[in-house]
Amino acid sequence: MVVRHGTLGSCNPHRYHGPRGVVPTLNFVCRYTPRGMSDPLDIIVAFVEGRMTPADFHKRLYTDGGLEAFLMAPGVHPPEYVGAGTFFHFLLECDVEDPGGVLNAEGLCRFLLDARGVSYVPSHAAYELFDALLRAQPKWLDVRTAWLAAELLPHAEGRSGKALVTWLREQLLQRFRYLKRPPRWIQAAKWPIGPNGPLVFLGEVPVRDYFHDDGAVFVFHDPSTGRIETVTQVM
């Protein structure tokens, strides 16, 4: 599994390549005997089970030569979405500060463990957090989960589940402001976010008989700078 709006394989940090609202079910084969946290497989198992934080796992990729060597040649062919790269390089590129990037990393690690016949009990914490970030967004928003994780989650005060979704939605409605009504996007939502936060939506101007098809110009204002920014979309 790897994040929304992409094909399985890109390590784009805010795109989860798995079905929204569905926690993957996996079959496990018990063939592996843990040998200690210095063993690469033990490190990987600890990560997918939630006993090692994504940040600690990512740090081990940089500092643990044994883990690097194993992931460069684990005796398993990587899935197609890794392309010509290796397990190691794919994991190195995942943004573990983004719940989507964590899912990308966990998905590849699970693939490796399954292929090696290693048993584990997966943690669904990253998936549940990522899903909450998606469900909290109204249909006229599609905010990067990396931004949400950095700007909102530090203030969530331990909320989880429905309480987190409700709180996130309230925060989004406070921050993504509009003059009269939210934009009616023709294509995917593309709300501009400046250095000082989301811009304010002022309105949209329909454009006909100009582009190859009907379109619209969406007008946004940055209160902190006075700058006007537009987003053009064509059907």
Side-chain angles (χ1 to χ4, degrees):
M1 60 182 203
V2 199
V3 193
R4 182 176 161 191
H5 303 201
T7 57
L8 190 63
S10 167
C11 198
N12 189 331
H14 76 296
R15 306 303 186 193
Y16 167 57
H17 304 261
R20 182 172 179 175
V22 177
V23 177
T25 57
L26 302 169
N27 296 320
F28 310 121
V29 180
C30 298
R31 297 181 192 166
Y32 177 66
T33 301
R35 288 171 286 182
M37 198 55 73
S38 62
D39 183 82
L41 284 174
D42 286 336
I43 295 171
I44 296 170
V45 168
F47 169 55
V48 300
E49 290 189 338
R51 294 182 288 106
M52 176 179 288
T53 67
D56 286 343
F57 177 71
H58 204 244
K59 183 177 180 180
R60 292 294 287 262
L61 293 174
Y62 282 95
T63 60
D64 191 320
L67 179 61
E68 176 182 353
F70 174 76
L71 291 170
M72 290 291 287
V76 173
H77 290 295
E80 292 184 2
Y81 62 79
V82 174
T86 66
F87 286 88
F88 175 73
H89 290 103
F90 185 93
L91 292 170
L92 207 60
E93 293 175 1
C94 291
D95 181 2
V96 295
E97 294 185 358
D98 176 2
V102 175
L103 284 181
N104 288 337
E106 284 186 353
L108 186 61
C109 287
R110 291 182 184 185
F111 176 91
L112 174 57
L113 294 175
D114 290 341
R116 293 285 299 240
V118 177
S119 63
Y120 59 97
V121 179
S123 168
H124 297 307
Y127 179 88
E128 291 168 355
L129 176 57
F130 181 83
D131 188 58
L133 293 175
L134 295 187
R135 289 191 291 117
Q137 300 191 47
K139 62 182 180 180
W140 39 268
L141 278 182
D142 185 10
V143 186
R144 291 172 56 91
T145 53
W147 187 89
L148 297 174
E151 298 295 324
L152 299 185
L153 290 183
H155 310 290
E157 298 180 343
R159 293 178 176 87
S160 61
K162 292 182 179 180
L164 176 60
V165 172
T166 300
W167 180 82
L168 285 170
R169 181 173 286 264
E170 293 172 352
Q171 295 299 310
L172 289 170
L173 293 176
Q174 290 177 17
R175 294 169 186 248
F176 289 82
R177 296 180 292 146
Y178 47 86
L179 189 60
K180 294 183 178 180
R181 58 171 177 77
R184 302 179 198 176
W185 301 104
I186 296 175
Q187 301 173 0
K190 194 177 180 181
W191 196 299
I193 299 177
N196 297 303
L199 276 61
V200 178
F201 177 61
L202 300 181
E204 60 200 64
V205 180
V207 179
R208 298 182 176 87
D209 303 321
Y210 184 76
F211 300 113
H212 61 80
D213 210 333
D214 290 345
V217 176
F218 301 85
V219 183
F220 294 83
H221 176 250
D222 188 341
S224 63
T225 64
R227 180 175 60 90
I228 294 290
E229 183 171 332
T230 61
V231 175
T232 302
Q233 294 187 345
V234 181
M235 295 182 67

